[in-house]
Amino acid sequence: MSLGGGTFLAGAPSRLLPASIPFRYFGAAVVFHIAAWLALAAGAADAPRFVGGLGWPLAALHLVTLGVLAMTAIGASLQLLPVASRQPVRVVRAAAAIWWLYTPGVAAVAAGMGAAMPRFIGVGAVAVFIALAIYAALLASNLAGARGMPVVIAHGWASLASLVATLATALALAGTYLGVVVIDRGAALALHVAFAAYGFMGLLALGLSYILVPMFALSSAPGTRAGLASLALAVLALLLAGAAAFGLAPVALRVAAVAAGAAAAALHLRLMAVALATGMRRALGLSFVLVRVGWVLLAASLAAALAVALDAPFDGTATLFGVLLVPGWLLTFLLGILQRIVPFLGSLHAGAAGAAVGRKRPPTPSALTAGRPLAIHFGCHVVALALLATAVVADNRWLALAAGTAGAAGAVAFGVFFAVAVRRMGGGARAA
C-alpha cells in the first residue's frame, strides 16, 4: 500500500461534505461523552460488578459505544473514506438524515436503560437500527466504488459485515427486554460484544489507522500484505468467538480466538510503530500519547478476554474486561485521534471557504487547537480510567463515583476544545 499523507490530501477540498455534517456527529459525540461519565457516576453503586442488566451502568456503556464511538465513526468515515478513495459522497442528504434519526435514538436507548423503561429502549433501538442501516448502505456504496487502498477497503468491508451482526444481535437483546426471545440471551450477548467492539468499531478504527497514523506522522503507509494478514487474523478471531458463542467447544475456541486476536493486534501495532518511527513528524503531542495508551489497553483487553475464557477465579474479571475494552482501548484511542481529526478537517473546510473568495492561506490545525483544555482532558481521562479499573478490582463504589466525576470533568474539557476549534474555524471562514 503506497498511500501517503500527500496522496491522501490531493484534491481533498473537492470531496468535502458540508462542514455541518461531520461536525454535528462530532458535536453529538462530545455531548454523549459527558453524559456517559455522568451516567457512570449515577450508577457507581452497581458499576464495579456490572455484567449486564438495566440500570445506569448499562446506559453509560451504550452512551460510550453508540453515543461516542459509533457516532464518531459515522462522522469520520462519511468524510474521510470519500476523501481517501477519491470519490464524493453520492447522497449528501442521507448522510445528514442519519444524524436526525440516530442521535435521538441513542438518547432514548440510554434513557430507557438508565430508568429501566423497556419501551423507551424499543423505540430508540428502532431509530438506531434504521439510522445504522442507512449508514451501512452509504458505507457499502463508497467501498464498492473505491479504488486503491486495499487494506483500508478490506477493513471497511469486514467492519460492515460486523455491523450487520451487531444490529442483528442488538435487536435480539432488545427483544428480550420486551419478552421476545429470538436466540439465547447469553449467545446474543457474547456475539454482540465481539462483533460490536472488536468487529464493527475495532476493525474500522484499525482500518482508518492505516490512513491517519501515516498522515499525521508524515510517513509512508504500511505494506499491503502485512495489513491484510493482520485483518485475516482479526476476522478469524471473530469467527472463532462467534462459533464459541453458540456452544461449539466454547473454552477451546475462545482461547483460540484470543490467540488469533492477539496475533492480529501485534502485527497491526508493529506496523503502526514502524510508521511512527519512520515519520518526519516526531512530536505528535498528547493526542498520540492517548493513542499509545489505547494500544496498550487493546493488548490488556485481550489478556482480560483470555482470563474470562478460562474462568479466572475473580468476580470482577468480566467487568474489568469491559473496562479495558470500551473506555480503555476504544474510547482512549478515539479521543486521541479525534483531537487530531477535528482541527485537520476544520483547516480543510476553512481553506475551502477561503479559496472560494481568493484567500490562499487557511488556518493551520495547530491554530484551531486549544492546548490547555486537551491537557486537562488528558489528565482527567487517565485518572478516570485508573480509578475505574481500581474500583472493579477493589469492588468499591466510591472509587467508581470518583472515576465518573473525573471522567466527566475531562469530557467537559474536551468539549471546550471542540467548541474552540469550531469557533476558530467559523471565524476563519467568515474572514475569508
Side-chain angles (χ1 to χ4, degrees):
M1 185 170 159
S2 61
L3 181 69
T7 304
F8 176 80
L9 293 175
S14 65
R15 296 184 295 277
L16 288 175
L17 289 166
S20 62
I21 294 179
F23 278 85
R24 76 179 60 179
Y25 286 100
F26 299 154
V30 166
V31 173
F32 282 131
H33 183 206
I34 299 170
W37 286 111
L38 292 176
L40 174 66
D46 300 319
R49 288 295 178 268
F50 172 72
V51 290
L54 295 179
W56 289 112
L58 185 66
L61 174 63
H62 284 81
L63 282 167
V64 173
T65 55
L66 294 176
V68 183
L69 300 176
M71 184 75 73
T72 304
I74 294 170
S77 60
L78 285 175
Q79 180 60 90
L80 294 177
L81 284 178
V83 170
S85 61
R86 302 192 174 208
Q87 57 180 335
V89 175
R90 293 177 174 83
V91 189
V92 175
R93 288 185 178 180
I98 292 171
W99 189 89
W100 293 101
L101 274 173
Y102 188 70
T103 303
V106 171
V109 167
M113 289 175 172
M117 300 175 66
R119 292 187 181 276
F120 267 71
I121 299 174
V123 171
V126 170
V128 168
F129 180 90
I130 295 172
L132 289 177
I134 298 171
Y135 165 69
L138 288 180
L139 181 60
S141 174
N142 189 269
L143 292 172
R147 289 172 175 78
M149 303 184 310
V151 175
V152 179
I153 299 307
H155 276 79
W157 283 116
S159 176
L160 181 59
S162 296
L163 174 58
V164 173
T166 299
L167 291 175
T169 53
L171 286 181
L173 288 170
T176 62
Y177 293 118
L178 300 173
V180 180
V181 179
V182 179
I183 61 174
D184 177 72
R185 186 179 183 278
L189 182 59
L191 290 167
H192 187 68
V193 170
F195 282 93
Y198 287 115
F200 168 47
M201 290 175 285
L203 290 177
L204 195 58
L206 297 182
L208 289 176
S209 294
Y210 289 103
I211 298 173
L212 296 172
V213 172
M215 183 184 74
F216 292 132
L218 296 179
S219 67
S220 299
T224 299
R225 290 184 179 178
L228 291 177
S230 173
L231 174 61
L233 287 166
V235 171
L236 174 62
L238 288 171
L239 294 176
L240 290 171
F246 284 106
L248 301 175
V251 175
L253 288 185
R254 282 175 181 150
V255 171
V258 172
L267 182 53
H268 174 81
L269 295 181
R270 179 178 174 274
L271 295 173
M272 295 298 102
V274 170
L276 291 175
T278 58
M280 291 187 289
R281 181 185 289 144
R282 300 297 180 89
L284 293 170
L286 288 178
S287 62
F288 267 76
V289 176
L290 279 179
V291 167
R292 289 183 172 95
V293 170
W295 286 337
V296 171
L297 293 176
L298 164 59
S301 76
L302 291 168
L306 180 61
V308 172
L310 296 176
D311 196 19
F314 168 57
D315 290 341
T317 303
T319 309
L320 185 61
F321 163 68
V323 169
L324 294 171
L325 174 60
V326 178
W329 167 38
L330 290 170
L331 181 61
T332 303
F333 173 83
L334 178 140
L335 292 172
I337 292 294
L338 187 59
Q339 59 188 259
R340 284 276 175 176
I341 291 177
V342 167
F344 164 69
L345 286 180
S347 178
L348 287 182
H349 281 287
V357 294
R359 182 168 176 164
K360 295 182 179 180
R361 289 189 177 182
T364 63
S366 60
L368 300 179
T369 303
R372 183 171 294 180
L374 289 180
I376 295 171
H377 164 259
F378 176 85
C380 290
H381 183 77
V382 171
V383 168
L385 288 179
L387 286 171
L388 186 54
T390 307
V392 173
V393 173
D395 191 13
N396 188 299
R397 63 186 295 179
W398 300 111
L399 288 174
L401 176 61
T405 303
V412 169
F414 195 91
V416 172
F417 148 75
F418 178 79
V420 169
V422 171
R423 180 178 59 81
R424 291 177 179 176
M425 178 187 76
R430 284 193 297 272

